[in-house]
Amino acid sequence: MAYQSGQIIEASNSTTDDFNELAALINEVYGDSHSGDHAVATGTFGYGQSPEIATVAAGDVITAAQWTEIFSSLAKCANHQGTPVGAIPGLVTTGDIINIFDSPNGTNDLINDIRTNKLLIDPSEAAITLGGSKHSETRSTSWTSSVTHEFDVEFTDEDEARHFFNAGGEIHWSGQYSPGGSEESGEEADWALELSNMGTVAFNYNNTTAGAGATFGIGYYDIIETYQTIADKSINGGGGYYVTEGVTVAVKATDSSMNVLRFKVVFATDPDPDRVLDGELVSMVDQKISVNNIASVEPTYSPVIFIGS
């Protein structure tokens, strides 16, 4: 709905739901109007914040607190995304004249902007952990073929997972290898180098990124109940499950509830008992989470298969 300077903003009547329409458009981003919806077009709306802006009944007088809530929720969304807001109106009190916000964009333009930018997050609004602070596994015993690390990332329900990823949340994985004293010093150096090059594998709402290697465009809204590879990196000319050497990261939902994500990391090397790697292998899990204006709920992290010690 378009508003002009000097126009009366109606609470609600049989033909026009001015206030309620504003509230609904903002609530779809700030709150959640699509509970249980895993479709990208609609499920990606909703940060899950509360309380949402309450609607009003036909003929009601809009209070100063209700009008302030409109712009407070709008500002939180915009600041979270990095959407420019300019001199957004602040608190109003009883008796104030409410003017249409028109700097730098009109009220309607700003609402459209926060809806368009709903999946963006300003760097200042994110907290990123490092060094396996969410979960970490270390193997210091020798290995000759492959080792596997599986871990779960669990949300209370699907909506909590949606809110986390919609607000810019990511699950991060990284690996590290410190060569030991085996005769395979060249191979061990390759593992150390290539895991360093691979960097952080970042799994978000619709994609996966990594510093090096291959990624496959899989994000939260693409997961199914069987493993899909999201990233892999060759070691010394290998790569993936079916070649000589490499690391592969895959993910699945443990069931149709879509609230528990299981990640599987496979470190594969030549199955040769005469070629022993005896350095220290570390598999680390971290996260990027929305804080400040939009506060996401943190999932829990737990091991399923250990890589050994």
Side-chain angles (χ1 to χ4, degrees), residues 152-217:
D152 283 351
V153 179
E154 183 172 359
F155 298 87
T156 301
D157 53 31
E158 179 183 7
D159 287 335
E160 189 176 278
R162 288 177 45 247
H163 302 155
F164 175 88
F165 288 105
N166 290 353
E170 297 177 348
I171 306 302
H172 290 178
W173 175 87
S174 59
Q176 178 179 295
Y177 188 77
S178 300
S182 78
E183 296 179 357
E184 307 301 329
S185 58
E187 185 177 358
E188 291 202 314
D190 286 339
W191 272 95
L193 175 63
E194 298 301 346
L195 283 176
S196 176
N197 289 342
M198 192 175 191
T200 298
V201 175
F203 176 82
N204 63 29
Y205 80 97
N206 76 335
N207 196 18
T208 300
T209 61
T215 56
F216 301 93

Side-chain angles (χ1 to χ4, degrees), residues 34 37 39-47 118-119 162 166 205 221:
H34 301 281
D37 191 344
V40 173
T42 46
T44 52
F45 277 94
Y47 298 149
K118 64 184 184 293
L119 294 166
R162 288 177 45 247
N166 290 353
Y205 80 97
Y221 284 94

Side-chain angles (χ1 to χ4, degrees), residues 21-31 53 70-71 73-74 77 111 114-115:
E21 184 175 344
L22 289 174
L25 290 170
I26 297 169
N27 281 340
E28 192 174 17
V29 179
Y30 182 73
I53 304 165
I70 284 279
F71 280 104
S73 299
L74 187 57
C77 292
I111 291 174
I114 68 157
R115 291 170 63 82

Side-chain angles (χ1 to χ4, degrees), residues 74 78 83-85 88 101 105-114:
L74 187 57
T83 298
V85 296
I88 195 166
F101 173 47
N105 300 310
T107 304
N108 301 286
D109 290 335
L110 184 53
I111 291 174
N112 288 336
D113 287 346
I114 68 157

Side-chain angles (χ1 to χ4, degrees), residues 76-295:
K76 286 178 181 178
C77 292
N79 290 330
H80 162 78
Q81 300 164 357
T83 298
V85 296
I88 195 166
L91 298 176
V92 295
T93 58
T94 302
D96 284 352
I97 295 175
I98 298 172
N99 295 311
I100 291 297
F101 173 47
D102 57 6
S103 174
N105 300 310
T107 304
N108 301 286
D109 290 335
L110 184 53
I111 291 174
N112 288 336
D113 287 346
I114 68 157
R115 291 170 63 82
T116 298
N117 298 337
K118 64 184 184 293
L119 294 166
L120 300 181
I121 181 170
D122 187 86
S124 66
E125 295 288 309
I128 300 174
T129 67
L130 299 170
S133 66
K134 295 298 136 184
H135 173 58
S136 180
E137 287 289 324
T138 300
R139 182 187 180 96
S140 55
T141 55
S142 61
W143 47 297
T144 60
S145 57
S146 68
V147 293
T148 298
H149 176 207
E150 284 188 356
F151 60 92
D152 283 351
V153 179
E154 183 172 359
F155 298 87
T156 301
D157 53 31
E158 179 183 7
D159 287 335
E160 189 176 278
R162 288 177 45 247
H163 302 155
F164 175 88
F165 288 105
N166 290 353
E170 297 177 348
I171 306 302
H172 290 178
W173 175 87
S174 59
Q176 178 179 295
Y177 188 77
S178 300
S182 78
E183 296 179 357
E184 307 301 329
S185 58
E187 185 177 358
E188 291 202 314
D190 286 339
W191 272 95
L193 175 63
E194 298 301 346
L195 283 176
S196 176
N197 289 342
M198 192 175 191
T200 298
V201 175
F203 176 82
N204 63 29
Y205 80 97
N206 76 335
N207 196 18
T208 300
T209 61
T215 56
F216 301 93
I218 302 295
Y220 172 70
Y221 284 94
D222 304 300
I223 61 171
I224 54 179
E225 293 176 62
T226 56
Y227 276 118
Q228 298 178 92
T229 299
I230 61 173
D232 69 21
K233 180 72 179 75
S234 64
I235 307 295
N236 193 24
Y241 286 120
Y242 305 110
V243 290
T244 306
E245 291 186 282
V247 57
T248 301
V249 185
V251 66
K252 70 175 181 178
T254 58
D255 58 38
S256 60
S257 299
M258 298 295 172
N259 66 306
V260 181
L261 313 183
R262 180 161 295 173
F263 289 80
K264 177 165 68 172
V265 184
V266 177
F267 305 86
T269 188
D270 283 330
D272 183 347
D274 295 326
R275 299 176 68 237
V276 177
L277 301 180
D278 63 357
E280 183 178 81
L281 178 64
V282 185
S283 183
M284 297 173 287
V285 184
D286 287 286
Q287 70 180 15
K288 174 182 177 181
I289 189 169
S290 175
V291 294
N292 300 330
N293 283 282
I294 301 298

